[in-house]
Amino acid sequence: MESIIEFIYQPHAFKSLLLLLGSIGAAYLLSHFVAQLIVRVARFTAKKSDAQTDEAKRLHLRRLETHLSVAIAVVRASIVGIVAFYVWQELSPAASVSSAAIGASAFFIVIAGATIGIVLRDITAGAVMIMERWFDVGDYIRVEPFLDASGVVERITLRSTKIRSLNGEVNWMHNQYMQSVKVTPGGLRAIEVDVFVDSDETGEALIGKVIASIPVGSMTVARAPRILRKEKWADDIWLITVRAKTLPGREWLMEDYFIDSLKTLDAKLFDGKVLIRKPIARYADSAAEKSFRRAIGVK
């Protein structure tokens, strides 16, 4: 504080203050330019990640994209802080290095006194999430306790996280308010439908007609449904399992639309004789299956 008082009572204090503010402004523009360069690198990385077919490499590129996103905020803050430190030291040559550091930071503390606590909590929470790898850029997440805060992570900083929902809305979340995060691996949910039919041939024909009517796209069923396996249960019962991958929130396309279409076409084309039982839709995640098998002791 003494450093600030001495500075104010200097003969050319106002001119020096303008020089300090101008230098900080120039540093901000420089940090913005550097941040834009990092953004371009991040976008290039995102394109490579989207085009990557190897899951391990795609995950590596997504994590690199996450680190670049965090680096944008760190670089901008660092450039402004370093310039403020050295400008203050030049304006107060008699002051020690520690006094210059205190003086350079005091200006920001006075201006942001009412918000510094909130920012520090955000930064602390963000740093912990990044170190523990809660999620990466490109992951689909659902934030607790905000049930409507869900979507694809577009950007992560130490202070906040940018999330785009399926309807296009953008949510900016303070990191300190993320009490729990549900992450959908790969951004897709695998759903399998068990269809019980009287014949594998007629059953496959019925399922093929329904699959042809399922909308496939980035906002509907991301992976076209396919017949995963056929198994004969008895002389007159066949089990055909259909697998598809949907976006979170689009599960109804397989759970409702697909099953209703099977029943409608069966009644229309085969007089309701193909389906033996009502089809069963269920989630199918290999990692979850492995964990639950271990939990209940099934080999």
Side-chain angles (χ1 to χ4, degrees):
M1 247 355 225
E2 294 179 0
S3 176
I4 297 178
I5 296 174
E6 292 175 1
F7 174 76
I8 293 175
Y9 282 99
Q10 287 180 359
H12 304 289
F14 183 71
K15 183 178 179 180
S16 300
L17 181 60
L18 289 179
L19 177 61
L20 174 62
L21 295 177
S23 301
I24 294 175
Y28 177 82
L29 293 178
L30 175 61
S31 68
H32 179 74
F33 174 74
V34 174
Q36 288 302 311
L37 293 179
I38 299 176
V39 167
R40 292 190 177 186
V41 176
R43 288 175 179 171
F44 175 76
T45 304
K47 290 182 179 179
K48 288 190 64 177
S49 172
D50 295 340
Q52 185 59 247
T53 56
D54 185 89
E55 184 64 24
K57 291 182 179 179
R58 188 170 68 89
L59 180 59
H60 174 75
L61 289 172
R62 279 193 173 183
R63 286 177 178 170
L64 177 60
E65 187 181 353
T66 302
H67 295 155
L68 288 172
S69 180
V70 175
I72 294 172
V74 174
V75 167
R76 296 185 69 170
S78 299
I79 291 177
V80 174
I82 291 172
V83 170
F85 170 79
Y86 281 106
V87 170
W88 187 278
Q89 194 174 26
E90 289 297 323
L91 293 176
S92 305
S96 63
V97 174
S98 60
S99 298
I102 295 173
S105 60
F107 175 79
F108 298 101
I109 295 175
V110 171
I111 297 298
T115 59
I116 194 67
I118 298 175
V119 173
L120 288 177
R121 286 193 294 271
D122 283 332
I123 291 175
T124 302
V128 171
M129 288 194 305
I130 292 169
M131 286 188 296
E132 294 182 350
R133 292 182 176 177
W134 281 23
F135 50 83
D136 293 310
V137 171
D139 286 344
Y140 185 96
I141 66 172
R142 185 182 300 274
V143 182
E144 299 289 349
F146 311 101
L147 298 179
D148 59 341
S150 62
V152 177
V153 178
E154 289 192 341
R155 184 178 176 186
I156 304 172
T157 69
L158 288 174
R159 194 182 66 84
S160 61
T161 300
K162 181 182 179 182
I163 306 170
R164 186 177 297 275
S165 63
L166 291 178
N167 61 10
E169 292 180 345
V170 175
N171 293 323
W172 282 96
M173 295 289 300
H174 286 279
N175 291 334
Q176 64 175 303
Y177 298 126
M178 292 189 178
Q179 299 179 10
S180 173
V181 177
K182 296 180 179 179
V183 183
T184 302
L188 298 174
R189 288 179 178 168
I191 296 180
E192 292 183 1
V193 180
D194 293 326
V195 185
F196 302 91
V197 295
D198 66 339
S199 168
D200 61 331
E201 293 182 359
T202 54
E204 191 170 350
L206 173 64
I207 291 171
K209 290 182 178 295
V210 175
I211 287 178
S213 69
I214 296 292
V216 178
S218 58
M219 297 297 287
T220 52
V221 178
R223 300 287 187 273
R226 63 185 179 88
I227 294 178
L228 185 65
R229 59 180 175 269
K230 294 188 295 182
E231 181 181 349
K232 189 172 184 179
W233 275 32
D235 293 337
D236 58 346
I237 299 179
W238 282 78
L239 171 63
I240 301 179
T241 301
V242 180
R243 183 184 178 92
K245 289 189 175 182
T246 72
L247 293 173
R250 298 290 191 266
E251 298 90 346
W252 60 270
L253 284 167
M254 294 301 296
E255 295 173 342
D256 298 325
Y257 177 79
F258 181 78
I259 293 177
D260 290 342
S261 297
L262 283 175
K263 293 188 291 185
T264 300
L265 277 182
D266 182 31
K268 181 178 180 181
L269 301 178
F270 302 99
D271 296 326
K273 297 178 180 179
V274 176
L275 295 178
I276 304 298
R277 298 285 187 273
K278 180 181 178 180
I280 301 173
R282 53 188 171 79
Y283 291 112
D285 181 79
S286 57
E289 183 178 352
K290 183 178 179 181
S291 297
F292 277 96
R293 285 193 176 204
R294 182 181 179 187
I296 61 179
V298 175
K299 297 184 180 180

